[in-house]
Amino acid sequence: MGYTPDGIGYQSTDTSKFAATSNVEHKKTIRDQVLELLTTTNDQMSVEQVSECLGRAQVSVQPRLTELKNDGLVEDSGQRRQTKWGKPSIMWQIKSIG
């Protein structure tokens, strides 16, 4: 997979590359969308909730939350929420300062 200088990924087809490189000033990466959502809501959210709010697949959202955690921008709130499959899910939040 290739990436634009702005970090937008595209597949190895000319149409995918065109879509990634056109109208760049109005594009946000999924990572940026996740961070913006958690910042603007200032709430704890599960992967399920984030993916529903953004209209994105959970398999696209989960790795972005991991990246944001590894970069010190979000953190595990310590709270859990039950998923639709009955499993516990981390409630993510913007990392506290201090």
Side-chain angles (χ1 to χ4, degrees), residues 79-93:
Q79 301 298 311
R80 298 296 182 262
R81 177 177 190 253
Q82 189 172 343
T83 67
K84 60 185 171 186
W85 297 283
K87 305 293 182 194
S89 179
I90 293 172
M91 298 297 289
W92 296 98
Q93 65 186 16

Side-chain angles (χ1 to χ4, degrees), residues 9-98:
Y10 59 89
Q11 298 300 319
S12 60
T13 62
D14 60 334
T15 54
S16 180
K17 185 174 183 178
F18 176 78
T21 57
S22 64
N23 200 21
V24 173
E25 61 274 1
H26 296 292
K27 285 191 169 75
K28 289 185 185 169
T29 63
I30 296 173
R31 185 179 190 272
D32 290 338
Q33 292 172 24
V34 170
L35 184 59
E36 183 177 289
L37 177 65
L38 288 172
T39 301
T40 57
T41 62
N42 198 28
D43 202 2
Q44 300 172 354
M45 298 180 84
S46 67
V47 172
E48 255 181 352
Q49 291 172 308
V50 171
S51 66
E52 287 172 14
C53 286
L54 297 178
R56 301 279 187 180
Q58 289 184 38
V59 298
S60 297
V61 170
Q62 179 61 65
R64 307 301 75 85
L65 281 162
T66 300
E67 291 169 2
L68 291 166
K69 178 191 69 132
N70 291 343
D71 288 346
L73 298 172
V74 301
E75 64 186 358
D76 180 340
S77 69
Q79 301 298 311
R80 298 296 182 262
R81 177 177 190 253
Q82 189 172 343
T83 67
K84 60 185 171 186
W85 297 283
K87 305 293 182 194
S89 179
I90 293 172
M91 298 297 289
W92 296 98
Q93 65 186 16
I94 294 298
K95 187 162 184 173
S96 312
I97 299 173

